[in-house]
């Protein structure tokens, strides 16, 4: 429910220091606490005028359902705010709150009667209405989050009072343009974004965003990358709320404006790829960063009735990235309210458990649902030594990945693209302590050389343009492949060596911008490679620039190249080291890198190994051996 570096323990200490005592909520009556924001201010011990609130209990099982608004915000860093709370028979006391919550309450307290009616002055606020010291109560109240937000008259989002006026003004600026394009889509299903009816508007928007050294483009990115959009709880809060209004100091907008902004950013990415202007790649990186931050929150709110499993939502959250929570277990708990299988997924909200237990529960559900493909999420080294290597650290963004088992927008399985381990069924067992995963694998080879290619190396950055930088980078890649082939490879013949140059940098899959999907690379993708290295000789048969599409498909900074003892070339996670082993896991789509340490194996990441991705090593009599992963 929070996204800050300040721990809840510190918040609990502040409440204890204020001697604020909660009366327990009646869990049998589905009781919650609410606070009524007074129009009056009181002078606190620090000499400042601060908001005054009255706290009371309300029940969803009463004769009349409670009338209130919910507040969604980031806790922020620091507990420098002070408010007065009057609670039942207790006299009003000063209570320390996070600075951002204080700003929100101060903002709403200042609004006049026309802006905030009596009901809208009654708030449910997690930081105040849940006794953070009582974990049993917390388990109960967090389990009611879906009901709390769905029953609220309005969910008010508070973005803060920072000096970023332009960032907020630009949010609604293009509402009418988006409405126009949506209308055209509805009238003309065959309509494409490069059609003049929309492209002219998109080009005008891009021109405006580029003006004054990209001032408005920076403003858009500034708004979209606000910490509130990164909160794990946002997806559930917005998706279950009947009405959402986004507030900031000096303004507000309906949630529909944020949805339209997300649609606009998606369209702009495609249009930039078509336009091929000088600002293109820099703008696309900025727009993509902004769009990805909004992705999960907005997409789920566009289809709030969509039924998704806990694992689908978790995996989509990992793919979109940028999701944060102060308490790591909230990365799981925050999704449970909108999962159709929350009562049968094998995970219960329990703040008495360590987050590593919850992550392991999630990993077991991944394995049960996705089989060997679940291990694809382990593409980052866990930062906690208490996590087994086969349990994904949900705090880390999904990084290097040849495949992604869940589509970030479709909430469904990706179509299978590779068949490295054939079509055999995945088998696994987990020992009682849940530390060791036993799977069947086929040993392929050992890594003997690892090579990284720094796209931001000085000599590449100074190439003169982003296109020349890509050209120089791919040329270095090709030179390395040729040298490696002459030195250690007899495995690949001349025709395969030619394909290596353009297939390996993109792991033989490419971004299909028209379909907004990742697909297996066909021979037509080779034209995108040629268009970068030899632009004068290339053809352009696609409405989306093939060179742009190829560039977007390259693993720039999330991988290393490696060579195995018997001459295979592949791509792996940046943590790959000499001595790592290439294995095929029975039932998996791609090879995996394992590391043998102190007599046992750990999972490093999935991998791309040229020449074995379509089951070339697997035959009817191929034996997969049981292996323990720690």
């Amino acid at each position: 429910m929070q996204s800050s570096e300040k721990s809840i323990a510190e918040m609990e200490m502040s409440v204890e220091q204020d001697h604020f005592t909660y009366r327990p909520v009646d869990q049998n009556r589905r009781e919650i606490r609410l606070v009524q924001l007074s129009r009056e201010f009181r002078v606190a011990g620090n000499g400042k005028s601060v908001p005054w609130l009255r706290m009371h209990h309300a029940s969803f099982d009463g004769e009349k359902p409670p009338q209130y608004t919910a507040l969604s915000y980031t806790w922020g860093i620091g507990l420098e705010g002070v408010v007065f709370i009057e609670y039942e028979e207790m006299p009003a006391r000063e209570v320390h709150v996070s600075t951002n919550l204080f700003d929100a309450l101060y903002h709403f307290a200042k609004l006049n009667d026309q802006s905030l009616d009596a009901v809208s002055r009654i708030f449910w606020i997690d930081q105040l209405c849940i006794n953070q010291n009582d974990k049993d109560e917390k388990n109960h109240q967090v389990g009611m989050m879906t009901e709390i937000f769905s029953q609220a008259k309005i969910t008010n989002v508070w973005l803060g009072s920072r000096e970023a006026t332009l960032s907020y003004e630009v949010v609604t600026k293009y509402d009418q343009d988006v409405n126009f394009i949506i209308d055209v889509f509805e009238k003309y299903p065959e309509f494409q974004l490069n059609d003049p009816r929309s492209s002219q508007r998109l080009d005008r928007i891009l021109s405006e965003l580029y003006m004054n050294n990209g001032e408005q483009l920076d403003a858009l990115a500034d708004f979209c990358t606000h910490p509130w959009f990164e909160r794990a709880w946002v997806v559930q809060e917005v998706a279950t709320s009947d009405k959402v209004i986004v507030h900031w100091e000096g303004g507000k907008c309906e949630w529909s404006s944020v949805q339209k902004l997300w649609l606009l950013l998606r369209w702009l990415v495609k249009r930039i790829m078509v336009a091929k202007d000088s600002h293109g790649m820099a703008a696309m990186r900025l727009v993509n960063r902004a769009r990805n931050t909004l992705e999960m929150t907005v997409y789920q709110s566009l289809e709030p009735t969509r039924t998704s499993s806990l694992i689908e939502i978790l995996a989509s959250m990992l793919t979109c990235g940028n999701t944060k929570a102060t308490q790591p277990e909230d990365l799981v708990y925050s999704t449970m309210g909108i999962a159709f299988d929350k009562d049968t997924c094998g995970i219960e909200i329990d703040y008495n458990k360590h987050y590593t237990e919850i992550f392991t529960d999630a990993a077991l559900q991944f394995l049960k649902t996705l089989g060997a493909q679940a291990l694809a999420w382990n593409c980052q080294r866990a930062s906690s030594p208490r996590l087994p290597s086969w349990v994904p650290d949900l705090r880390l963004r999904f990084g290097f990945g040849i495949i992604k088992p869940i589509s970030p927008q479709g909430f469904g399985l990706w179509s299978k693209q590779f068949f490295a381990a054939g079509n055999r069924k995945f088998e696994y067992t987990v020992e009682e302590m849940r530390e060791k995963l036993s799977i069947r694998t086929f040993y392929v080879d050992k890594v003997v050389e690892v090579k990284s290619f720094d796209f931001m190396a000085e000599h590449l950055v100074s190439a003169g343009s982003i296109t020349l930088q890509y050209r120089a980078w791919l040329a270095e890649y090709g030179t390395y492949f040729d040298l490696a082939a002459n030195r250690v490879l007899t495995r690949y013949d001349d025709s395969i060596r030619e394909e290596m140059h353009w297939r390996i940098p993109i792991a033989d899959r490419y971004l299909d911008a028209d379909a907004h999907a990742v697909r297996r690379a066909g021979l037509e993708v080779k034209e995108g490679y040629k268009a970068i290295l030899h632009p004068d000789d290339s053809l352009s048969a696609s409405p989306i620039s093939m060179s742009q599409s190829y560039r977007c498909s390259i693993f720039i900074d999330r991988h290393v190249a490696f060579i195995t003892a018997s001459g295979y070339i592949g791509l792996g996670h940046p943590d790959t080291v000499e001595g790592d082993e290439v294995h095929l896991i029975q039932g998996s789509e791609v090879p995996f890198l394992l590391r043998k340490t102190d007599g046992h194996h750990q999972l490093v990441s999935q991998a791309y190994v040229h020449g074995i991705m379509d089951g070339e090593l697997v035959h009817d009599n191929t034996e997969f051996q049981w292996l323990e992963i720690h």
Side-chain angles (χ1 to χ4, degrees):
M1 291 176 290
Q2 320 74 318
S3 76
S4 89
E5 298 300 323
K6 183 64 69 174
S7 70
I8 284 183
E10 290 174 286
M11 181 60 198
E12 293 169 356
M13 287 176 59
S14 73
V15 173
E16 291 174 352
Q17 291 167 353
D18 292 319
H19 306 292
F20 190 85
T21 304
Y22 286 97
R23 176 170 67 82
V25 293
D26 188 340
Q27 298 185 12
N28 294 325
R29 298 183 65 244
R30 296 186 300 140
E31 202 171 66
I32 61 174
R33 298 185 188 91
L34 299 171
V35 290
Q36 183 172 3
L37 181 62
S38 173
R39 296 181 177 88
E40 302 176 23
F41 289 82
R42 284 195 174 185
V43 179
N46 58 14
K48 297 180 179 180
S49 294
V50 301
W52 178 22
L53 304 101
R54 295 183 179 90
M55 181 178 288
H56 63 277
H57 288 224
S59 170
F60 287 114
D61 289 338
E63 293 182 5
K64 294 183 178 180
Q67 299 291 306
Y68 62 94
T69 64
L71 184 65
S72 179
Y73 65 107
T74 58
W75 275 33
I77 298 176
L79 296 167
E80 299 175 1
V82 175
V83 297
F84 276 101
I85 296 183
E86 184 180 307
Y87 184 30
E88 297 186 334
E89 301 303 321
M90 281 185 1
R93 295 181 180 274
E94 288 188 17
V95 175
H96 288 280
V97 297
S98 67
T99 304
N100 203 34
L101 175 55
F102 174 83
D103 290 340
L105 292 172
Y106 196 87
H107 170 80
F108 289 115
K110 288 190 304 179
L111 295 180
N112 58 36
D113 295 345
Q114 286 72 38
S115 299
L116 208 64
D117 60 26
V119 172
S120 298
R121 287 185 177 273
I122 301 175
F123 286 88
W124 183 88
I125 304 171
D126 60 349
Q127 194 175 139
L128 297 176
C129 297
I130 298 177
N131 181 359
Q132 304 289 344
N133 292 324
D134 187 339
K135 290 187 176 179
D136 289 335
E137 177 184 305
K138 192 173 179 182
N139 294 339
H140 173 261
Q141 295 285 286
V142 170
M144 293 180 62
M145 290 284 285
T146 301
E147 186 171 22
I148 289 171
F149 277 87
S150 64
Q151 294 299 315
K153 175 185 175 183
I154 296 173
T155 293
N156 286 311
V157 174
W158 173 248
L159 296 185
S161 55
R162 59 184 185 159
E163 297 295 329
T165 307
L166 179 61
S167 297
Y168 301 126
E169 289 178 350
V170 77
V171 175
T172 58
K173 180 175 182 179
Y174 300 109
D175 270 13
Q176 294 305 312
D177 292 293
V178 175
N179 288 338
F180 172 83
I181 296 174
I182 290 175
D183 288 342
V184 175
F185 270 136
E186 291 176 350
K187 294 176 182 177
Y188 307 100
E190 76 286 357
F191 175 72
Q192 297 294 322
L193 283 175
N194 58 341
D195 187 292
R197 285 169 290 189
S198 69
S199 61
Q200 291 176 1
R201 285 188 177 237
L202 292 176
D203 289 343
R204 175 181 58 78
I205 293 172
L206 284 172
S207 297
E208 291 181 9
L209 293 176
Y210 294 152
M211 289 173 61
N212 298 323
N213 295 318
E215 180 183 41
Q216 292 195 47
L217 186 61
D218 289 336
L220 268 182
D222 186 52
F223 175 85
C224 298
T225 56
H226 187 285
W228 181 81
F229 291 105
E230 299 177 346
R231 294 175 60 244
W233 287 98
V234 162
V235 176
Q236 176 176 285
E237 292 170 0
V238 172
T240 58
S241 295
D242 184 54
K243 183 178 183 180
V244 179
I245 299 179
V246 182
H247 297 260
W248 56 88
E249 190 67 41
K252 63 182 179 180
C253 71
E254 299 280 345
W255 182 250
S256 59
S257 290
V258 180
Q259 293 175 326
K260 291 173 184 176
L261 176 60
W262 176 72
L263 288 172
L264 176 63
L265 293 175
R266 292 185 64 194
W267 296 337
L268 288 178
V269 168
K270 290 188 176 182
R271 187 58 194 162
I272 289 170
M273 293 179 69
V274 175
K276 295 187 289 185
D277 58 90
S278 59
H279 302 279
M281 289 304 293
M284 189 159 66
R285 284 195 291 269
L286 197 61
V287 170
N288 256 328
R289 181 166 64 92
R291 187 197 69 182
N292 289 340
T293 305
L294 297 177
E295 191 87 21
M296 268 297 290
T297 307
V298 175
Y299 185 73
Q300 186 69 18
S301 71
L302 285 171
E303 299 191 51
T305 59
R306 176 185 289 276
T307 55
S308 304
S309 70
L310 175 68
I311 295 307
E312 287 176 317
I313 299 171
L314 270 179
S316 297
M317 184 177 69
L318 275 171
T319 304
C320 295
N322 302 319
T323 306
K324 298 176 183 177
T326 300
Q327 291 184 282
E329 55 267 41
D330 280 342
L331 292 168
V332 178
Y333 295 158
S334 64
T335 66
M336 294 183 66
I338 52 176
F340 71 78
D341 59 347
K342 63 180 180 180
D343 296 324
T344 59
C345 67
I347 301 176
E348 295 183 355
I349 296 174
D350 187 353
Y351 285 95
N352 294 296
K353 288 185 176 182
H354 193 269
Y355 77 86
T356 54
E357 295 182 68
I358 308 304
F359 285 9
T360 302
D361 289 339
L364 291 174
Q365 289 301 311
F366 271 110
L367 288 169
K368 181 180 178 181
T369 305
L370 301 173
Q373 305 310 91
L375 299 176
W377 292 114
N378 295 66
C379 53
Q380 79 288 76
R381 304 297 295 162
S383 57
S384 171
R386 297 179 59 173
L387 280 175
S389 66
W390 54 273
V391 174
D393 191 337
L394 302 178
R395 298 170 300 175
L396 305 179
R397 183 179 181 181
F398 181 81
F400 173 81
I402 308 302
I403 59 166
K404 297 176 182 178
I406 298 289
S407 163
Q409 294 181 3
F411 286 72
L413 295 176
W414 285 80
S415 59
K416 194 169 183 178
Q417 299 173 19
F418 299 103
F419 300 86
N423 290 308
R424 300 193 184 192
K425 184 180 178 181
F426 177 57
E427 296 181 55
Y428 74 98
T429 61
V430 179
E431 48 86 41
E432 186 176 357
M433 297 300 292
R434 308 199 311 173
E435 294 178 352
K436 303 173 185 176
L437 172 72
S438 294
I439 54 178
R440 287 184 179 273
T441 77
F442 174 75
Y443 173 81
V444 176
D445 209 353
K446 180 177 291 187
V447 174
V448 294
E449 183 176 316
V450 178
K451 173 71 173 178
S452 62
F453 295 86
D454 184 4
F455 184 74
M456 298 307 295
E458 184 177 353
H459 70 284
L460 295 178
V461 174
S462 61
S465 70
I466 190 69
T467 300
L468 293 175
Q469 187 174 348
Y470 270 99
R471 188 177 303 165
W473 187 81
L474 286 172
E476 285 192 5
Y477 232 122
T479 300
Y480 176 73
F481 292 156
D482 290 337
L483 292 174
N486 293 331
R487 180 162 44 88
V488 299
L489 305 184
T490 55
R491 183 168 299 283
Y492 303 122
D493 60 30
D494 290 341
S495 62
I496 295 179
R497 289 187 189 187
E498 181 184 358
E499 285 195 345
M500 285 166 44
H501 285 249
W502 63 270
R503 288 193 185 273
I504 293 181
I506 60 173
D508 205 12
R509 14 68 74 231
Y510 79 105
L511 173 64
D512 184 343
D514 287 321
H516 201 70
V518 176
R519 305 190 186 283
R520 188 75 184 266
L523 288 176
E524 72 279 1
V525 180
K526 181 179 179 181
E527 292 301 320
Y529 174 81
K530 291 170 61 178
I532 297 174
L533 288 184
H534 311 290
D536 295 335
D537 299 332
S538 65
L539 302 175
S540 181
S542 170
I544 297 295
S545 165
M546 287 181 292
S547 63
Q548 291 276 27
S549 183
Y550 188 90
R551 280 154 54 167
C552 292
S553 304
I554 296 174
F555 287 89
I556 292 293
D557 56 0
R558 297 169 290 148
H559 81 283
V560 293
F562 64 80
I563 300 175
T564 70
S566 59
Y568 287 113
I569 289 184
L571 303 179
H573 188 274
D575 284 345
T576 304
V577 298
E578 294 178 10
D580 285 347
E581 299 173 358
V582 179
H583 285 251
L584 299 179
I585 295 176
Q586 185 169 299
S588 68
E589 184 177 340
V590 297
F592 282 82
L593 291 169
L594 305 182
R595 183 170 301 158
K596 193 170 185 179
T597 306
D598 298 328
H600 60 262
H601 285 82
Q602 291 185 322
L603 185 64
V604 177
S605 77
Q606 51 177 297
Y608 172 82
V609 181
H610 195 68
I612 71 169
M613 300 302 292
D614 291 306
E616 290 88 342
L617 298 183
V618 180
H619 309 287
D620 292 341
N621 59 350
T622 302
E623 293 188 12
F624 286 74
Q625 305 294 326
W626 282 102
L627 187 70
E628 278 190 351
I629 307 295
H630 290 231

